[in-house]
Amino acid sequence: MVTPRRWVIAMMRELTPEVELEWRADLEQVFFARIQLGNEAVWFHKTSRTIRLLVKDRQAARASAHKILEWPFERVVVAHDTIVEQDAHEAVEKAFAYFDK
């Protein structure tokens, strides 16, 4: 018998740089390339206008940052559930300015 946890693990697959077809109506994503210990996917949830991200490598992240700033997000969930709900886009613009130095 397969337990629910094992069933979930069996259903897991590696993400690609393209958002999964079944998620495209709700989500957009950008992979931050060359981050230590793996690549990080940054997600934009269209309905809630929220992004979730983790940034470690300025040089490799520059193009990804510019793509993310094209999204009309209003809320950000950073790393492990820190939430920015006021002036979130402006805050991310200021943080991502680091990549352009």
Side-chain angles (χ1 to χ4, degrees):
M1 178 174 182
V2 176
T3 64
R5 176 177 280 167
R6 289 186 182 164
W7 180 83
V8 170
I9 292 171
M11 296 294 295
M12 294 176 74
R13 62 188 181 272
E14 186 173 343
L15 295 175
T16 67
E18 297 297 320
V19 69
E20 299 289 324
L21 182 62
E22 61 268 27
W23 303 340
R24 287 184 185 163
D26 298 314
L27 296 170
E28 292 183 38
Q29 77 181 30
V30 169
F31 270 21
F32 266 91
R34 299 178 55 139
I35 291 177
Q36 297 170 358
L37 304 176
N39 292 328
E40 177 71 12
V42 179
W43 299 89
F44 172 59
H45 183 249
K46 296 174 185 178
T47 303
S48 67
R49 302 177 76 81
T50 300
I51 66 171
R52 179 165 184 165
L53 64 130
L54 171 67
V55 176
K56 292 182 182 176
D57 184 337
R58 178 178 61 122
Q59 200 87 355
R62 181 178 291 131
S64 299
H66 286 273
K67 176 68 177 166
I68 291 163
L69 288 172
E70 293 176 5
W71 292 336
F73 61 87
E74 297 173 352
R75 181 179 306 112
V76 177
V77 180
V78 182
H80 298 284
D81 299 325
T82 299
I83 300 173
V84 179
E85 296 201 53
Q86 293 184 336
D87 303 317
H89 202 282
E90 181 181 340
V92 173
E93 286 178 40
K94 287 179 182 177
F96 282 1
Y98 170 79
F99 300 132
D100 290 324
K101 292 181 182 178

